[in-house]
Structures are given as structure tokens and as C-alpha cells.
Amino acid sequence: MGIESKVSGSFEVGQGQISGFLAVFLGSLNLLGVIAFHFPEYLSTPEVRKAYDVEVLRLVMSISIMATVFFGCFTIFRGQFRRYGLAGLGLTFLCLLLGGPFVPVGDFPDNTPYIGLDWLILDLVGSAFLFIMIEKAFPYKKDQPILRPQWSLDGIHFAINHLLIGASLLVANAFAPTFFSWAQWPVVQRFVTSLPFGIELFLCVLVADLFQYVAHRSLHEVPWLWRLHAVHHCPEKMDWLAGSRQHFFELVMTRAIVLVPIFVLGFEKTVIDAYVIIVGIQAVFNHANVRIQFGFLKNIIVTPQFHHWHHSSDAAAIDRNYAAHFSFIDRLFGTEVKADEEWPKEYGIVGRQLPANYIAHFTYPFKPSFWTKDQSAK
């Protein structure tokens, strides 16, 4: 409950609500950051830490600590949200007790098992800043608060799926080479890598989206797979964080399947890196509480309006709009919702409401007694 129960409307300037939220947010990041300083070999992502400058990170943490103290004290002074100011100061005080920005970071092995705490921090800060600003500038539902109901549950999904990025990548990356090495044709791979960057990137996104379409449609139409995917469809409010509600097994399975064409066709690393960026941005943006007119582009690419209909509880929208990147794929296979300028009013699973806690989300897909004869039974 906490902040979620108290903050039920839009942020109001001057009440200490914004500063209280920032104090808790920054205080949490300060604590996570100092823990990562202590155990970089186990808590940082190898691909990401190559770009680090430790001194810059120390400076960023120092600024964050000072900002937390400012926001925390301001919130306490305003009074109404005093406990959030105290929470932010408490988290930062614990950070300082653990050494703060002065924790020494020496050489360490580069091949240890890890969880992506650093990736969690970076993606959380970047996504929250970028997409909250976009949602406030171009909202679909103007009265929907940032801290809407069940935001903390989606935050837990966000955190756990990011922390386990190492495990998910290990399983997914092993899938294609293990089962599809026979499908590699050097002549095809040479042709693919000889294409101009833009064409190769378009081909990569298109082919991956076709495999994504098959996987996504299977998650809806195969009953035992739907039990996993239902976790992703149970949010009744849509925003940038709602897309994070995803069962870990589904995350690994989908990622493994999409890697098959990327592996078999042998796309260049720069193209794959660009594709990963596109996936990351579009996956968050299309769940966001955003209303932007895309004109003719909506006939080509997946937009928030297109994907919101996929999450709609409207009978005409169930099991439609599967594509992740190109909307014309659904048109090609006859699974597109033709909504024109309309937007869905309600979201969630018809006839079923999952319990609002992470453990239930993880375990309930494996409990046959949970599923009754409604949309969730499939």
C-alpha cells in the first residue's frame, strides 16, 4: 500500500508529493548503487560495465545523495508526505553507512555469474524519466496518476526481470545454436551481411517480428501457454510500466524463439544492437498512457493505440493485434483490430482477475484449479 494508497490522483506542486516521490526513488537508487559498488563482479552486466567510468559514477551518486537530502528535507518541512521524505533520507543514510561513493572498486573477474543490478538502475532511471515525460505531455487518459493502482506490483516485475537478465540471456542464447545450427547457410549469411545497414536492420526487425507474431499468437491460442501469458494481460491500467508485468518463463521462451532467425541468418552485431534498442523502446512506448497521432504510419508500425487494443477486454479485440513492430503483419494474417480513431476503454482479462502479488503471478499458471471456463481458460 504505502505511497500507492495515499497518492491516488495527479501530482500537485507545492504539497511535498513530488519531492517525497523523488526522495524515495533517489534514495532507493543510492542504496542499490552502493551495493553494486561492493559486488561489481556479481551485480553488474559484463556488456554494460565495459562502458563505465567509475569516477563518473561516483560523481553521479554524490549528486543523487545531495538531491535526496534536499527533497527529503523539503518533504518533511511540507508535512503532509513526511514519511516519504524520512524514507528517502533513511535509504540514503544506509547508503552512506555502506561507504557511499567512496567504496573502492578494484580489478575483478569478468566471467562470474551475475544479476543485472546495474542494468536495472540504468533502465529504470532512463525509462521513468523519458516515458513519464511523454505520458504527461501526450496523455491518453489525462486523469491517470503516475502512481496508479498496482504500480508497485509492476515495479517488482520490472526489477526481477531485469535482475535475472543474465539467466534469461544464458538460456535464450543457448537455444538457437543448440537446436538450429543445422539451418545455417554460409551463402545466405554472406548475402545478409552484404546488405546496406538500413536494409539489413529492416530485414532483421521484420523477420524477428514474424517469429514474434507466431510465438505471441501461440501464447494466446494454446491453453497451457495462455496461462503464462495471462500474467501480462491482467493489468487493468496501461502505462509505460504495465508492459513489465510478464511471467519470467514467457520472457525466456519468447526471447529464445525470436533469436532463431537472428542466429540462422547471421545478422551483424551492429544490426542486432540496433534491433535490441528498437525492441526496448517500442515495447515500453506501446504500453504507455500516450495518445499521439501517427497518420499513415499506423498502417505500417505498431503504435500505442494498436497495442492498447491488444490489451483491451472488448470482445472484438480479444486475440488480435499480435505484432510487436509492424502492424501490417496482423493485417496480412487477418488478426488486426480496425479501430480507426477509437481507443479501448477497459483492459484486463475477461472473467478473471489475478491476485495482486508477484508470487501468485509466478505460481498460479501451474495451478489447474485456478482456471475456470472464461477467457483465461482458453
Side-chain angles (χ1 to χ4, degrees):
M1 299 294 286
I3 296 178
E4 188 168 309
S5 62
K6 180 137 182 166
V7 182
S8 57
S10 301
F11 281 139
E12 298 179 10
V13 177
Q15 300 300 312
Q17 192 173 341
I18 298 175
S19 58
F21 171 77
L22 290 174
V24 174
F25 181 72
L26 293 175
S28 300
L29 294 181
N30 294 336
L31 181 58
L32 292 175
V34 75
I35 294 173
F37 271 163
H38 277 284
F39 307 101
E41 66 271 37
Y42 302 111
L43 300 179
S44 61
T45 309
E47 293 80 3
V48 177
R49 65 186 177 221
K50 294 175 183 177
Y52 289 161
D53 184 324
V54 176
E55 296 309 313
V56 172
L57 294 178
R58 296 188 193 282
L59 176 61
V60 170
M61 180 179 286
S62 299
I63 294 173
S64 178
I65 289 173
M66 290 186 288
T68 306
V69 172
F70 171 78
F71 289 126
C73 291
F74 178 83
T75 305
I76 294 171
F77 174 75
R78 297 304 302 177
Q80 187 176 358
F81 297 89
R82 184 179 292 117
R83 57 180 173 177
Y84 306 131
L86 290 171
L89 291 176
L91 291 167
T92 297
F93 179 69
L94 184 55
C95 165
L96 292 172
L97 284 179
L98 293 174
F102 307 106
V103 175
V105 178
D107 295 331
F108 53 84
D110 199 40
N111 58 350
T112 55
Y114 70 95
I115 58 176
L117 181 59
D118 57 342
W119 178 239
L120 165 64
I121 296 172
L122 291 171
D123 199 21
L124 178 60
V125 172
S127 296
F129 176 79
L130 175 62
F131 291 105
I132 288 176
M133 295 294 288
I134 294 175
E135 286 185 338
K136 288 306 177 184
F138 308 99
Y140 164 48
K141 294 188 175 181
K142 297 181 180 180
D143 59 344
Q144 180 169 298
I146 294 174
L147 304 183
R148 43 81 180 168
Q150 297 190 11
W151 71 269
S152 56
L153 173 59
D154 293 330
I156 293 172
H157 276 276
F158 182 97
I160 292 177
N161 287 341
H162 278 68
L163 289 174
L164 296 179
I165 186 174
S168 65
L169 287 175
L170 181 65
V171 175
N173 288 340
F175 176 74
T178 301
F179 296 100
F180 291 92
S181 57
W182 56 269
Q184 287 185 303
W185 287 13
V187 63
V188 173
Q189 292 183 333
R190 285 195 296 269
F191 170 75
V192 169
T193 56
S194 69
L195 295 171
F197 177 83
I199 297 177
E200 187 179 347
L201 176 60
F202 172 78
L203 181 63
C204 179
V205 177
L206 176 60
V207 175
D209 203 15
L210 287 169
F211 274 67
Q212 160 78 21
Y213 176 92
V214 173
H216 195 178
R217 188 166 180 174
S218 299
L219 286 165
H220 278 256
E221 298 184 5
V222 178
W224 64 272
L225 290 177
W226 167 251
R227 295 185 179 188
L228 292 174
H229 192 54
V231 172
H232 182 64
H233 275 266
C234 66
E236 297 180 347
K237 302 290 184 181
M238 292 289 286
D239 65 3
W240 70 276
L241 193 56
S244 301
R245 193 181 297 194
Q246 190 173 14
H247 199 284
F248 180 70
F249 288 166
E250 179 199 335
L251 177 69
V252 174
M253 182 184 69
T254 304
R255 182 169 288 166
I257 292 172
V258 171
L259 280 173
V260 170
I262 293 175
F263 169 76
V264 170
L265 295 176
F267 291 102
E268 292 182 306
K269 184 180 184 303
T270 54
V271 170
I272 296 174
D273 291 342
Y275 164 70
V276 170
I277 293 173
I278 291 172
V279 170
I281 294 175
Q282 202 167 6
V284 179
F285 180 65
N286 287 336
H287 290 89
N289 179 34
V290 171
R291 183 169 190 153
I292 298 177
Q293 300 300 327
F294 285 87
F296 76 94
L297 285 176
K298 70 180 182 181
N299 297 314
I300 302 173
I301 63 173
V302 172
T303 64
Q305 182 190 30
F306 182 94
H307 195 68
H308 276 227
W309 275 108
H310 176 71
H311 281 265
S312 171
S313 55
D314 188 295
I318 293 173
D319 298 340
R320 295 291 185 268
N321 290 13
Y322 293 117
H325 305 293
F326 294 116
S327 58
F328 62 76
I329 292 178
D330 278 281
R331 195 172 311 116
L332 180 66
F333 290 103
T335 53
E336 180 188 25
V337 174
K338 296 185 179 299
D340 296 324
E341 298 304 317
E342 297 181 15
W343 283 69
K345 299 298 187 294
E346 303 292 337
Y347 306 96
I349 303 173
V350 177
R352 171 64 63 192
Q353 187 175 26
L354 271 67
N357 71 81
Y358 181 84
I359 299 299
H361 283 184
F362 190 85
T363 59
Y364 268 46
F366 310 107
K367 295 181 178 180
S369 60
F370 176 74
W371 304 97
T372 58
K373 291 183 178 180
D374 52 35
Q375 181 198 3
S376 58
K378 289 293 179 184

